[in-house]
Amino acid sequence: MSGKRIVNAYKALDKDQTYSLKDAVKLVKENATAKFDETIDMAINLGVDPKYADQMVRGVCSLPNGTGKTVRVAVLAQGEKADEAKAAGADIVGAENLIDSILAGKIDFDRCIATPDMMGLAGRVARVLGPKGLMPNPKLGTVTADVANAVKKAKAGEVQFRVEKNGIVHAGIGKASFSEDQIYENAKSFIDAIQKAKPQGVKGTYMKKVSLSSTMGVGVKVDFSNL
């Protein structure tokens, strides 16, 4: 499709029509015309029921071109590990003082990483961080002795995902200012990560629908059958 035809197709978007991932990216990017740099969001409807443990979909995905968002990282560590975290670019590093700050309601970070020896301490803020999706978790690579690597990955554009109770998993995969190729590569990486995270308890169709949208735009259905 030419750019003009893509734009016209967007204006008269058929909600039942699906587009190739490349055409969907072009459509969404060209129509992200807000005065700010809109986030490109991908939502995937899965045939899972997350209330069953063997159907929970959760994990991390490293986007090749980053998210375009500045990620503020807090690290629960002490001694050498605290020094390593600071050197790697962590925004906040602490132990008891960081816990006290969180309990006081000061949560100035988007990702929380902890060394294994700090998890006993981290348990004190589980009720605060858990509902916000910020609790350190070994399955997500946020409980690790290699704090430097974890901080660098978070800063470079690693997104965490977790299926919601209605079976939808979504993530911001870039910004409207990204090139079409960058958005496409990120989108494909996210779809691949969801496919690889397919739980053993799923029966029938796993990935039901994929849509792409910008912050102020409508969702465009993506044909993912050839990805």
Side-chain angles (χ1 to χ4, degrees), residues 169-186:
V169 61
H170 64 88
I173 59 163
K175 293 287 186 178
S177 58
F178 282 20
S179 70
E180 289 178 26
D181 285 344
Q182 287 176 319
I183 298 170
Y184 175 83
E185 289 168 359
N186 280 2

Side-chain angles (χ1 to χ4, degrees), residues 110-181:
D110 308 297
R111 185 74 57 88
C112 186
I113 296 164
T115 53
D117 62 302
M118 300 298 286
M119 285 308 292
L121 195 61
R124 289 170 50 192
V125 292
R127 289 185 179 180
V128 179
L129 298 184
K132 297 179 181 294
L134 293 171
M135 186 64 185
N137 187 320
K139 292 182 179 179
L140 300 177
T142 47
V143 176
T144 175
D146 190 357
V147 289
N149 189 43
V151 169
K152 288 174 183 176
K153 281 185 176 181
K155 289 282 188 180
E158 183 182 70
V159 295
Q160 297 181 350
F161 57 84
R162 180 173 183 169
V163 68
E164 299 171 357
K165 62 181 180 180
N166 54 4
I168 295 175
V169 61
H170 64 88
I173 59 163
K175 293 287 186 178
S177 58
F178 282 20
S179 70
E180 289 178 26
D181 285 344

Side-chain angles (χ1 to χ4, degrees), residues 15-35:
K15 291 183 179 181
D16 294 321
Q17 183 176 350
T18 59
Y19 298 82
S20 71
L21 181 56
K22 286 196 173 181
D23 279 351
V25 167
K26 187 175 183 68
L27 200 54
V28 171
K29 175 177 165 60
E30 290 191 352
N31 287 274
T33 56
K35 293 182 179 180

